[in-house]
Amino acid sequence: MFGALKRTLQPALKQVYLLSALKDSQIWRHKVQLRACATSFKLLDDCLELNYGETRMYFNYVWLRDHCRSASSYNSTTNQRNVDTGSINLAIRPDSTTVQDGHLVLTWPGGHVSEYNLHWLAENSYERKKQDTIQPRILWNSDIYNSANIPSAKWDKFMSCDDELKKFLQNYLLYGIAFVDDVPATVEATEAVTQRVSLIRETTYGRMWCFTSDFSRGDTAYSQLALDRHTDTSYFQEPCGIQVFHCLKHEGTGGKTLLVDGFYAAEKLRQRSPESFELLASVPISHEYIENTDGHRNNMTGIGPVLSVYPWNNELFLIRYNNYDRSVINTVPHDTVQRWYVAHRELTTELRRPENELWVKLNPGKVIFIDNWRVLHGRESFTGLRQLCGCYLTRDDVLSTARCFGLQA
């Protein structure tokens, strides 16, 4: 069952303005019955009001001309716009308007005719988009995830069967994590299984990386210490989208991987303290990575809020949470800092609730894919030789692969 993110939607000022204008701009009205769906439209001063089914929508006239799908305005082969948006008269409005055979038909000054499928208009209206979820997700704590009994993909089938890949991607989209079992415990096999999903994103750590607790890099991950829950590369302007881990060898104890659904915790915060959620979604802070070791010199800074939401529907799409890499807080006014710390503490409390922790032992053969924009990871301390390999994947290409299978992403 798909779980929709709970949202708090603010009334749109433009909607209020347009509803007020509705009383003053009774220019003309036309009604038509299409199948069982009632359709009516009205030309207002600055936009066209369209009632389709049970939805009332407003379309700016420049927007309508800019989104014309005629052959001269839009290349349906390449799915690219031909019309020069910069040359559209900003005061444009249609000379005539009608509805025919399920299409809104506009004739513009100069004689150009635009036809819009009514369903297409409804699907692409602001009024519809502010109610829709961009990516359906199932938010989880440990009980929810374990009760779902989500199967891992199997290496042989995963590499040769598109249906197996599609199921894997569906699980990844819904839960933010997915596994492939029985992968040969080599860097080469790990690289192959990741490339089945997406392109590898090369970073300062390389393309495919293989590391142990040798402190070869200026990062706590290259040690035997426990790591608290965090997201990676928060110091990038665009944090890496997917984190891949494969434990090739472990001769010792400990080292379990910790996973926490950051969106589950953030939505709990939104329910309990919407003001704190809003503060964490609006105040930009810095994360920084400074490395000065033999052979490696880096100084990277990424700036953004702890929580990022789409402004039209308040859907959460990114969490940056890394207490190790958070830099000096110097982007917050003094009268906001205390409130920010309170909000951050409330989120931290949610993230650290024991019932939200999923612990997984990564043994040789089990590869995990983690949505680094959603799921926080950490580990317990360990003893002995523990060798991991992995990489980062480009988020855009993972989502592209999913969409090509018809999945919503």
Side-chain angles (χ1 to χ4, degrees):
M1 177 178 179
F2 288 90
L5 292 178
K6 294 185 178 178
R7 302 183 288 273
T8 55
L9 300 176
Q10 300 295 326
L13 292 178
K14 185 175 180 181
Q15 181 85 343
V16 172
Y17 165 78
L18 290 172
L19 287 173
S20 176
L22 191 103
K23 300 177 182 178
D24 303 325
S25 303
Q26 302 284 347
I27 300 175
W28 60 285
R29 191 177 186 91
H30 180 75
K31 294 184 178 180
V32 63
Q33 292 290 331
L34 291 176
R35 299 187 179 94
C37 185
T39 303
S40 67
F41 62 84
K42 181 185 297 184
L43 297 179
L44 304 178
D45 289 339
D46 62 347
C47 66
L48 182 145
E49 176 195 304
L50 178 66
N51 291 284
Y52 179 65
E54 298 179 355
T55 304
R56 177 178 293 178
M57 301 163 286
Y58 297 91
F59 296 97
N60 172 272
Y61 294 127
V62 179
W63 185 97
L64 286 166
R65 182 63 187 91
D66 185 44
H67 289 81
C68 175
R69 289 307 191 248
S70 67
S72 62
S73 299
Y74 186 79
N75 188 325
S76 60
T77 301
T78 63
N79 296 298
Q80 291 177 302
R81 180 180 282 104
N82 287 335
V83 66
D84 179 12
T85 306
S87 67
I88 298 174
N89 183 347
L90 296 179
I92 196 171
R93 56 182 295 125
D95 285 339
S96 66
T97 307
T98 186
V99 171
Q100 299 175 2
D101 300 324
H103 289 75
L104 176 70
V105 182
L106 304 181
T107 302
W108 301 101
H112 181 81
V113 177
S114 300
E115 295 188 13
Y116 312 87
N117 181 281
L118 293 174
H119 180 72
W120 182 89
L121 284 174
E123 286 296 309
N124 288 283
S125 68
Y126 170 77
E127 289 75 16
R128 179 68 62 84
K129 283 297 180 182
K130 73 177 182 179
Q131 299 178 26
D132 286 349
T133 299
I134 298 298
Q135 183 178 320
R137 297 179 173 94
I138 296 177
L139 307 185
W140 52 267
N141 58 18
S142 58
D143 285 344
I144 293 172
Y145 186 84
N146 288 325
S147 297
N149 291 319
I150 305 159
S152 299
K154 300 301 181 183
W155 157 260
D156 288 341
K157 192 174 182 181
F158 182 81
M159 296 300 293
S160 60
C161 177
D162 283 349
D163 284 343
E164 187 80 348
L165 175 57
K166 182 178 180 179
K167 293 176 185 176
F168 167 91
L169 288 169
Q170 182 69 90
N171 289 332
Y172 171 81
L173 293 174
L174 291 178
Y175 295 95
I177 54 175
F179 298 87
V180 181
D181 286 346
D182 304 329
V183 180
T186 66
V187 175
E188 293 75 18
T190 309
E191 181 176 9
V193 79
T194 59
Q195 288 180 307
R196 179 83 167 116
V197 177
S198 175
L199 299 177
I200 295 174
R201 177 174 175 178
E202 188 165 1
T203 67
T204 182
Y205 300 105
R207 177 177 163 82
M208 292 292 301
W209 31 260
C210 188
F211 70 95
T212 61
S213 52
D214 58 3
F215 285 101
S216 61
R217 301 297 300 266
D219 193 293
T220 312
Y222 291 75
S223 72
Q224 294 182 330
L225 300 175
L227 295 176
D228 192 24
R229 62 225 71 201
H230 64 279
T231 57
D232 269 19
T233 61
S234 52
Y235 41 77
F236 285 1
Q237 280 300 106
E238 182 185 343
C240 292
I242 288 84
Q243 168 89 69
V244 179
F245 285 124
H246 188 188
C247 183
L248 303 180
K249 179 189 299 184
H250 185 195
E251 299 170 351
T253 61
K256 284 184 179 179
T257 295
L258 168 64
L259 301 166
V260 177
D261 187 352
F263 286 6
Y264 179 91
E267 289 301 330
K268 289 295 184 183
L269 174 65
R270 173 150 40 190
Q271 295 169 24
R272 292 169 178 163
S273 181
E275 298 83 5
S276 292
F277 182 97
E278 177 61 28
L279 193 66
L280 294 178
S282 60
V283 174
I285 60 170
S286 299
H287 288 80
E288 189 173 47
Y289 178 59
I290 299 175
E291 181 182 31
N292 190 5
T293 62
D294 293 340
H296 298 289
R297 296 188 64 188
N298 289 287
N299 191 330
M300 300 181 183
T301 298
I303 301 175
V306 174
L307 306 174
S308 294
V309 299
Y310 295 123
W312 61 89
N313 67 353
N314 281 336
E315 178 183 342
L316 184 63
F317 69 87
L318 168 64
I319 179 171
R320 293 177 189 248
Y321 185 96
N322 192 316
N323 207 50
Y324 300 103
D325 295 331
R326 185 160 45 78
S327 185
V328 176
I329 298 179
N330 51 21
T331 55
V332 184
H334 76 278
D335 57 351
T336 305
V337 170
Q338 182 70 20
R339 291 191 297 117
W340 186 91
Y341 275 116
V342 170
H344 186 269
R345 180 66 51 84
E346 290 177 325
L347 177 61
T348 298
T349 299
E350 294 294 339
L351 291 169
R352 289 181 176 172
R353 293 188 188 280
E355 62 268 26
N356 294 341
E357 299 178 346
L358 179 68
W359 290 92
V360 178
K361 179 63 175 178
L362 296 181
N363 294 311
K366 179 180 285 292
V367 176
I368 183 173
F369 291 71
I370 304 171
D371 184 347
N372 187 54
W373 283 24
R374 169 183 173 181
V375 175
L376 287 67
H377 66 277
R379 71 164 183 237
E380 64 179 358
S381 62
F382 62 92
T383 64
L385 175 64
R386 184 173 184 260
Q387 184 179 27
L388 271 78
C389 76
C391 62
Y392 296 116
L393 301 183
T394 59
R395 176 180 175 81
D396 289 335
D397 289 283
V398 172
L399 298 182
S400 174
T401 302
R403 293 186 193 113
C404 288
F405 279 114
L407 301 174
Q408 185 176 345

